[in-house]
Amino acid sequence: TKTPHGGKVPLRLREDVQVAVARAETSLGAARAFARDTVSGLWSEAENGRPVTPAWQAKIRQACWYAGHVGKQVVTSMYEAAGSSAVLEALPFARQLRDVYATCQHMQYQDRMLVPPGRILLSLEADAPFI
């Protein structure tokens, strides 16, 4: 229902906000599908008694990294779309932005965590103590 200062229409009626929301939903759906597909495949391997290979370990790491990466992008885009009121602590935007950035500071979401999966995809040794 927010109408930007000096604006005449609510944010939800602006095309740029509609595009941002559609992009966000699409990105979340893609990340969710990748994560579910990866976990489902790994579960199937385990149910059939097959060991977890480095390739599966790499795929799990990729899915986790991608979920964090997309989450950060989506929260950032919604924060930006919300306008200046997003900085208000009483609204959820500031807290969500802070939380997603704090979460993505964790080692799991750093780009360097994609080195072992990249090495595995290139038929190299993971060169990591664990994946």
Side-chain angles (χ1 to χ4, degrees), residues 2 11 75-98:
K2 180 191 179 207
L11 284 175
V75 171
T76 299
S77 68
M78 294 300 98
Y79 179 86
E80 290 170 352
S84 61
S85 64
V87 301
L88 301 174
E89 290 295 323
L91 298 177
F93 296 106
R95 184 184 72 252
Q96 290 166 348
L97 185 74
R98 181 193 66 236

Side-chain angles (χ1 to χ4, degrees), residues 11-26:
L11 284 175
R12 66 186 175 92
L13 296 179
R14 288 180 34 186
E15 285 186 13
D16 61 320
V17 173
Q18 294 164 3
V19 168
V21 169
R23 280 186 180 155
E25 186 63 30
T26 302

Side-chain angles (χ1 to χ4, degrees), residues 5-113:
H5 181 72
K8 296 183 186 211
V9 297
L11 284 175
R12 66 186 175 92
L13 296 179
R14 288 180 34 186
E15 285 186 13
D16 61 320
V17 173
Q18 294 164 3
V19 168
V21 169
R23 280 186 180 155
E25 186 63 30
T26 302
S27 295
L28 287 172
R32 186 178 298 114
F34 183 36
R36 284 183 177 162
D37 179 61
T38 301
V39 170
S40 176
L42 184 62
W43 189 259
S44 178
E45 293 290 304
E47 283 184 324
N48 290 308
R50 289 188 280 276
V52 176
T53 64
W56 274 109
Q57 292 174 341
K59 195 169 181 183
I60 286 288
R61 181 174 283 185
Q62 290 170 271
C64 291
W65 177 89
Y66 189 62
H69 178 74
V70 167
K72 186 176 174 181
Q73 285 180 328
V74 166
V75 171
T76 299
S77 68
M78 294 300 98
Y79 179 86
E80 290 170 352
S84 61
S85 64
V87 301
L88 301 174
E89 290 295 323
L91 298 177
F93 296 106
R95 184 184 72 252
Q96 290 166 348
L97 185 74
R98 181 193 66 236
D99 290 352
V100 77
Y101 272 77
T103 299
C104 288
Q105 289 299 103
H106 186 276
M107 174 175 90
Q108 177 64 39
Y109 302 106
Q110 301 299 308
D111 284 351
R112 70 178 187 265
M113 297 309 286

